[in-house]
Amino acid sequence: MGSLAIYPGTFDPITNGHLDIAKRALKIFDRVIIALAVNPKKTPLFSSEERLDILNAIKKDNPELEVDSFDGLLVNYAQKVGANAIIRGLRAVSDFEYEFQMALMNRWLDNRVETLYIMTAYRWIYTSSSIIKEASMAGGNVKGLVPDYVHAKLNEKFAVLQKK
Ligand code: COA
């Protein structure tokens, strides 16, 4: 069956930084599932259907990766698919506190699942989904920071919102 890790997130939208983490996780695990949290704490720009559609489109160009979505507790999803590792990316020190809290909570909930961190590649240190959305909304070109399909979807989304 091989080793399986899940890479969870809101992915609103997925960025090249996220993709880099998922692909590097595949050097350690036999399988990696990019797992979309459909009901995150955040209010996403893209609906869960749109975010899943984006992930499926990304999978076409990256068939080695798997994509899925989950609702409710992450550790329950991990049990359901048989994963014993959660992958998260770490950028600056500012990520640390939030990630530490999340890892400890997940361990409290289910200590069979370990959280592993992969340092983001240098070029993605200062990117985030929010800052990419902000720049794109103001008409900035974010090509190269996100997969081309995401770039097109951001342009589409903001063109529609501007017409409203
Ligand atoms: N490159 C670029 N950006 C990155 C990145 C990287 N390598 N790693 C993280 N980011 C950014 C994202 O762009 C995002 O930016 P934003 O805040 O501006 O949108 C931010 O860091 C984190 O987003 P994301 O990676 O999508 O994850 P998340 O923090 O939204 O995910 C869940 C949180 C979904 C994993 C968590 O809420 C969860 O597990 N929910 C399920 C419920 C549960 O089990 N709760 C109890 C456990 S705490």
Side-chain angles (χ1 to χ4, degrees):
M1 254 170 67
S3 55
L4 170 64
I6 50 179
Y7 179 37
T10 309
F11 303 121
D12 183 42
I14 189 165
T15 67
N16 282 343
H18 287 128
L19 214 47
D20 174 61
I21 298 286
K23 286 181 180 174
R24 285 163 58 206
L26 260 184
K27 293 181 185 165
I28 310 168
F29 293 91
D30 296 319
R31 294 171 54 210
V32 171
I33 303 177
I34 301 181
L36 174 78
V38 297
N39 271 329
K41 296 175 286 188
K42 302 173 180 174
T43 310
L45 171 70
F46 293 99
S47 68
S48 49
E49 291 77 19
E50 288 171 320
R51 285 178 288 137
L52 195 56
D53 164 70
I54 289 174
L55 291 186
N56 280 316
I58 304 287
K59 185 181 160 46
K60 282 192 191 140
D61 291 332
N62 302 276
E64 70 280 17
L65 293 168
E66 297 173 42
V67 301
D68 196 6
S69 60
F70 71 98
D71 208 349
L73 281 181
L74 177 59
V75 290
N76 290 350
Y77 173 72
Q79 276 309 313
K80 190 183 114 186
V81 294
N84 58 3
I86 295 167
I87 299 292
R88 294 284 292 169
L90 265 188
R91 292 163 302 167
V93 178
S94 51
D95 282 342
F96 183 78
E97 227 169 302
Y98 168 62
E99 291 296 339
F100 200 21
Q101 213 179 10
M102 214 156 53
L104 290 181
M105 178 51 80
N106 282 328
R107 181 145 7 115
W108 169 263
L109 294 169
D110 188 341
N111 63 11
R112 291 168 296 182
V113 188
E114 284 297 340
T115 306
L116 303 178
Y117 291 91
I118 295 183
M119 296 295 169
T120 195
Y122 188 65
R123 59 199 298 222
W124 313 120
I125 282 182
Y126 295 108
T127 63
S128 72
S129 301
S130 303
I131 207 148
I132 287 170
K133 282 181 282 190
E134 190 182 327
S136 179
M137 185 168 67
N141 185 358
V142 297
K143 198 170 165 55
L145 294 176
V146 288
D148 287 346
Y149 187 79
V150 173
H151 186 225
K153 286 289 162 189
L154 280 168
N155 289 344
E156 229 174 71
K157 178 68 92 181
F158 290 124
V160 171
L161 292 179
Q162 271 156 18
K163 278 190 200 144
K164 281 190 181 167

